[in-house]
Amino acid sequence: MNNTTNLNVRVDATLKKESDMLFKDLGLNMSTAINMFLTKCVNTASIPFTIEQPKPSRSLKKALKEVKKMEKHPEKYKTYHNVDELFEDLENDD
């Protein structure tokens, strides 16, 4: 007796198309590939690939450092009550 169930998953259309082509080249279909993935997860009690956060770029690190500096010393920086004040200041900054 076959003990299977349906699994409905929403994926990007392009990703599905590219996955289908890859799996076909490997002699698999989508169901078999997903079953292989899930089996590997269960057997290893893990995700079978590394999940990482990308490293921030130098410019992002610099911007974050500047924000921290501004938060520590807000009195050194101009503040505005609304966007109109900001644009007025920018226009008069010539």
Side-chain angles (χ1 to χ4, degrees):
M1 181 183 233
N2 193 355
N3 188 21
T4 63
T5 187
N6 288 329
L7 174 66
N8 295 316
V9 181
R10 299 187 71 77
V11 291
D12 177 81
T14 303
L15 176 61
K16 182 183 182 300
K17 182 179 177 182
E18 291 174 354
S19 301
D20 280 332
M21 291 188 308
L22 170 65
F23 298 148
K24 183 178 179 184
D25 288 347
L26 295 171
L28 305 170
N29 61 32
M30 184 69 71
S31 290
T32 301
I34 290 172
N35 274 296
M36 291 171 69
F37 170 75
L38 295 174
T39 299
K40 184 72 169 181
C41 290
V42 170
N43 288 343
T44 62
S46 67
I47 303 293
F49 49 82
T50 303
I51 300 172
E52 302 173 342
Q53 286 186 320
K55 290 178 110 177
S57 65
R58 282 187 179 161
S59 60
L60 177 57
K61 286 180 183 179
K62 185 178 176 182
L64 292 171
K65 188 175 179 179
E66 185 177 353
V67 167
K68 286 182 181 180
K69 181 180 172 185
M70 293 172 81
E71 288 174 338
K72 286 183 181 178
H73 303 284
E75 71 282 356
K76 293 183 179 182
Y77 303 93
K78 290 183 182 180
T79 58
Y80 305 94
H81 294 96
N82 56 53
V83 174
D84 293 331
E85 283 185 21
L86 169 65
F87 282 118
E88 185 178 320
D89 190 41
L90 289 171
E91 289 173 359
N92 294 330
D93 202 28
D94 296 331

